[in-house]
Amino acid sequence: MDYQEKTVPLKNGGTCLLRRPEENDAEILIAYLKSTAAETRFFQREPEEHTETVEDEAAFIREVNEAERDLLLLAFVDGRFAGSCGMDSRGNKQRVRHRCDIGISLYQEFCGMGLGTLMLTELLEMARQCGYEQAELEVIDGNIPAMGLYRKLGFEAYGTRPRDVKYKDGTYADAHLMVKRL
């Protein structure tokens, strides 16, 4: 899907560049996946489970960029890579093509500066432009800042998947399913 990159001011006085990934971003994305998985327990994988090669990640970037209704956006704050957000089609079948999955993650140091709101607002607008009528996401129990952001942007909880993730220490966490009509 096409996307015209944008530079947007942040509430802290900095700027954020939003753009689609390029294949040469593969290395920074792999490092980011591992690092963010280590920073928090709110993701589906452990850091060591990110075994993608640079070639794998470049192929993924190519696939997303060529997809008609999928989008991955990278955020750079004052030139530093800060995070990503994306939307994926639920499929091309008539009964589900109105829905998309939404995801976002940031390095912890970039949280609390309005970046999540900026990124998701942009992504939801792009979803509307693609013809999606509903955005869906899941959030791991205990991720209070993320749940607050999603509610602020109009997402509503519609269910809980119990024991969605199991951690190395044997404990579990539920996932809350959220939806927003576009």
Side-chain angles (χ1 to χ4, degrees):
M1 145 176 227
D2 287 331
Y3 180 80
Q4 185 67 41
E5 71 178 44
K6 294 182 180 179
T7 301
V8 183
L10 295 172
K11 67 183 183 182
N12 70 355
T15 60
C16 175
L17 170 68
L18 293 175
R19 67 166 174 82
R20 291 186 331 161
E22 300 164 356
E23 288 183 45
N24 62 2
D25 291 320
E27 279 189 61
I28 67 166
L29 286 172
I30 292 169
Y32 161 72
L33 291 169
K34 291 177 182 181
S35 181
T36 55
E39 286 182 337
T40 177
R41 292 169 51 108
F42 299 130
F43 293 110
Q44 295 286 327
R45 291 196 257 175
E46 296 290 339
E48 64 275 8
E49 292 177 313
H50 287 283
T51 59
E52 302 86 356
T53 65
V54 172
E55 294 77 19
D56 294 338
E57 194 66 16
F60 169 75
I61 291 167
R62 195 169 36 257
E63 181 181 314
V64 169
N65 284 345
E66 292 172 359
E68 182 182 333
R69 298 176 73 214
D70 293 354
L71 179 63
L72 179 62
L73 291 178
L74 306 185
F76 294 84
V77 173
D78 297 327
R80 294 177 54 219
F81 181 57
S84 70
C85 64
M87 68 179 174
D88 302 307
S89 171
R90 296 286 296 188
N92 285 322
K93 304 290 185 219
Q94 177 62 41
R95 294 182 181 185
V96 296
R97 77 177 273 113
H98 66 288
R99 299 165 50 206
C100 66
D101 288 319
I102 298 286
I104 184 171
S105 60
L106 297 169
Y107 281 116
Q108 291 295 303
E109 70 178 285
F110 292 100
C111 293
M113 57 176 55
L115 192 53
T117 301
L118 169 75
M119 293 168 68
L120 282 179
T121 299
E122 182 71 13
L123 192 65
L124 292 169
E125 179 54 35
M126 295 305 297
R128 279 186 206 90
Q129 289 179 25
C130 280
Y132 290 117
E133 298 172 25
Q134 183 167 295
E136 302 169 7
L137 58 82
E138 63 181 56
V139 59
I140 300 299
D141 191 47
N143 193 346
I144 305 302
M147 290 184 81
L149 170 63
Y150 303 144
R151 284 193 179 103
K152 177 174 84 170
L153 294 176
F155 282 87
E156 297 176 354
Y158 70 90
T160 300
R161 192 168 38 243
R163 296 167 59 117
D164 186 65
V165 294
K166 182 178 180 180
Y167 299 110
K168 289 179 182 179
D169 65 5
T171 61
Y172 297 89
D174 297 345
H176 301 287
L177 310 174
M178 302 184 82
V179 64
K180 175 182 173 65
R181 294 213 169 96
L182 300 175

